Amino acid sequence: MSDDNSKFDVIVIGGGPAGYHAAIRCAQLGMKTACVDKSLDDDDKPVLGGTCLNWGCIPSKALLDASHEYMKAQHHFGTIGIKTGKLSVDLKQVQANKGEIVKKLTGGVAALFQGNGVKAYAGSGKLLAGRKVEVTPHKGKAEVLEGDKIILAPGSVPVDISVAPVDGKLIVDSKGALEFDTVPKKLGVIGAGVIGLELGSVWARYGSEVTVLEALDDFLAMADQRIARDAKKLFTEQGMDIRLGARVMSAEVKGRQVKVRYKDKDEEHELSFDKLIVAVGRMPYTEGLLAQDSGVNLDERGFLYVNDYCETDAPNIYAVGDVVRGPMLAHKGMHEGVMVAERIAGQKTEVNYDAVPSVIYTHPEIAWVGATEEELKKSGDAFNVGSFGFSANGRALAANDTDGIVKVVSDAETDRILGVHIMGPQASELIAQAVIAMEFSATAEDLGLIMFAHPTLSESLHEAALGVGGHAIHMINRKKRNK
Ligand code: NAD
């Protein structure tokens, strides 16, 4: 380890989930580590945690949880015998609560850096040739750091579409949609992806009339299609008007309204909204990141090109998280960050890209890991399926929360679990059991032989696994085979 203040064993650019995990793990492994991040909070103070903690996963979950409580109080309390007076939403307090949660977590990352000896630099990091990083602070002069290894973790930014230019007031991206100070009466959302559905849910629960315009004809094409069908029906009942095959052609601010024109297979339509959220995907954020001679290459879609171990084309330069191939999920980036740190330390860590869980935090939640039936049919692999509905699960019934199913898909020959698909209460938590099972190459029978506590939501996973062999207890047996 060098004593020179500008020399480090590892320099990480980006302090989001992928970058801060990499930095902390490097420091834990005894490396002199720096992390450069340029984010500023609402008070223009440097802040760690990236999009996830500041403008993504965490604040959106704070709003989802708060709005879900409101929805329960409105529509559910009466059924279970709780009487309330007239309910109302104090949005200022909702937002203040969200801000406190974010502050706690971002402050936590700063404390972890300090505790582990990671040196944080507030400013923009640019990779120069020769493993040098130029750091331009928010105020003052740039300095150049030198690292034996560099890890790039700059994250991603929302995709802009020219037909709906974000103005930050009436037309907003996912960040702006977390910051409304009044509940829009009519809310338009472009894109029925994860962000569109989560943010659409929040504002629908608070009373917005939500219309979601999705260009594709399929709803949640990446998920199990039975679950996608059921989810669309439920979300529609919850007040989201989801229009598929609806390609937005223009969005224009006129006075205090946004006029949106879209086209479906039949004709053109015009709608008027108080606010419009553009949620059409995210793209790798590489602006100003690389000097021309850095040696790092981009792939044809603009992601930093890396191999399975997150090594770029330049020796000793790695890239992790949303800026590289694979799903844009915080936990995938975290794992890549830890893998790179451990590989730098000489360990043989790998990321199992076949066991990355996906979650959509609607209600009910949707979560899955591994292959869908549709994918297996396409590839011609023979498989068996067991499924079990929450409507027959005692714990779900006791909680009056019975929408959804668990589906276990296993290899027809070996019975090894190939995928698990859940829609239901706490699907985000339940999916971890499936990931563990898959990481240990479990068969559906293995899961069936394990004892699950009663009454729990997890029993639906158990029953679905038993269902693969045709012997779920709380279901009329019907063994289903597919070739
Ligand atoms: P997405 O890719 O999931 O969905 C965007 C949708 O917009 C697509 O279905 C696309 O067909 C549609 N679209 C694109 N252009 C359109 C147009 N002109 N008119 C109508 N529809 C159009 O993207 P997202 O929801 O913005 O999310 C971005 C990324 O962030 C994703 O990779 C997602 O996985 C990640 N994310 C994950 C979570 C989570 O894990 N819960 C939460 C938020 C975001």
Side-chain angles (χ1 to χ4, degrees), residues 11 34 58 65 67 83 98 132 139 157-158 166 186 197 235 251 265 284 297 302 304 307 319 331 336 347 367 383 417:
I11 302 170
I58 297 300
D65 283 344
S67 59
K83 286 194 173 168
K98 181 197 80 182
K132 291 193 170 73
K139 281 185 209 133
V157 287
V166 168
K186 287 192 172 195
L197 293 175
F235 299 157
K265 64 178 183 326
N297 293 314
L304 298 186
N307 64 13
H331 44 277
E336 287 178 335
Q347 300 178 16
F383 61 91
I417 298 170

Side-chain angles (χ1 to χ4, degrees), residues 57 60-61 161 163 190-196 198 213-216 222 246-248 278-282 322 327-331 358-361:
C57 318
S60 64
K61 261 78 268 171
I161 45 174
V163 292
I190 309 181
V194 185
I195 294 183
E198 290 186 357
L213 302 172
E214 166 57 54
L216 298 179
M222 65 291 197
R247 180 161 289 282
V248 172
V278 181
V280 295
R282 296 181 64 86
D322 282 6
M328 286 188 175
L329 297 171
H331 44 277
S358 293
V359 180
I360 308 177
Y361 293 83

Side-chain angles (χ1 to χ4, degrees), residues 76 80 389-403 425 455 457:
H76 179 62
I80 58 171
F390 285 100
S391 56
N393 174 292
R395 187 75 176 87
L397 275 161
N400 269 314
D401 204 354
T402 54
D403 285 325
L457 299 170

Side-chain angles (χ1 to χ4, degrees), residues 211 213 241 243-251 258-273:
T211 306
L213 302 172
D241 176 358
R243 303 189 186 184
L244 301 178
R247 180 161 289 282
V248 172
M249 293 152 61
S250 68
V258 189
K259 304 271 178 214
V260 174
R261 284 195 314 123
Y262 75 90
K263 201 174 169 184
D264 59 22
K265 64 178 183 326
D266 302 321
E267 53 189 328
E268 280 185 31
H269 306 261
E270 185 171 292
L271 295 171
S272 192
F273 299 111

Side-chain angles (χ1 to χ4, degrees), residues 6-246:
S6 65
K7 288 205 168 121
F8 291 89
D9 296 326
V10 181
I11 302 170
V12 183
I13 300 183
Y20 87 71
H21 274 68
I24 290 173
R25 190 70 188 112
C26 284
Q28 284 177 345
L29 290 162
M31 294 175 244
K32 183 183 173 191
T33 307
C35 181
V36 188
D37 192 290
K38 66 176 170 188
S39 290
L40 295 173
D41 67 11
D42 293 343
D43 303 322
D44 276 348
K45 296 220 172 70
V47 70
L48 292 165
T51 301
C52 170
L53 266 59
N54 291 285
W55 308 287
C57 318
I58 297 300
S60 64
K61 261 78 268 171
L63 293 187
L64 278 158
D65 283 344
S67 59
H68 183 61
E69 295 302 323
Y70 179 59
M71 194 206 59
K72 270 170 50 184
Q74 269 188 317
H75 302 296
H76 179 62
F77 276 13
T79 320
I80 58 171
I82 298 175
K83 286 194 173 168
T84 53
K86 192 172 176 312
L87 283 172
S88 62
V89 178
D90 176 354
L91 203 51
K92 212 169 160 199
Q93 177 54 25
V94 170
Q95 296 291 18
N97 175 57
K98 181 197 80 182
E100 282 307 308
I101 293 163
V102 167
K103 220 182 202 169
K104 246 180 232 162
L105 281 165
T106 54
V109 177
L112 285 169
F113 271 15
Q114 210 168 24
N116 283 286
V118 176
K119 171 103 173 88
Y121 285 85
S124 303
K126 180 176 193 168
L127 179 68
L128 311 177
R131 301 197 303 278
K132 291 193 170 73
V133 173
E134 181 185 61
V135 179
T136 309
H138 300 288
K139 281 185 209 133
K141 275 202 339 239
E143 63 180 307
V144 174
L145 310 177
E146 260 179 73
D148 280 345
K149 316 273 177 190
I150 313 287
I151 304 174
L152 305 171
S156 60
V157 287
V159 168
D160 265 337
I161 45 174
S162 57
V163 292
V166 168
D167 67 359
K169 293 184 186 115
L170 270 68
I171 306 179
V172 298
D173 58 16
S174 52
K175 179 171 181 275
L178 294 167
E179 288 162 1
F180 293 159
D181 52 11
T182 54
V183 177
K185 196 165 172 305
K186 287 192 172 195
L187 174 65
V189 180
I190 309 181
V194 185
I195 294 183
L197 293 175
E198 290 186 357
L199 292 175
S201 295
V202 166
W203 297 109
R205 291 171 192 168
Y206 282 138
S208 294
E209 235 174 79
V210 177
T211 306
V212 183
L213 302 172
E214 166 57 54
L216 298 179
D217 292 324
D218 294 328
F219 183 63
L220 292 180
M222 65 291 197
D224 174 89
Q225 284 306 289
R226 151 90 197 269
I227 287 180
R229 264 196 311 278
D230 292 354
K232 182 164 180 286
K233 195 163 159 262
L234 287 168
F235 299 157
T236 305
E237 283 164 18
Q238 290 170 12
M240 280 195 271
D241 176 358
I242 300 169
R243 303 189 186 184
L244 301 178

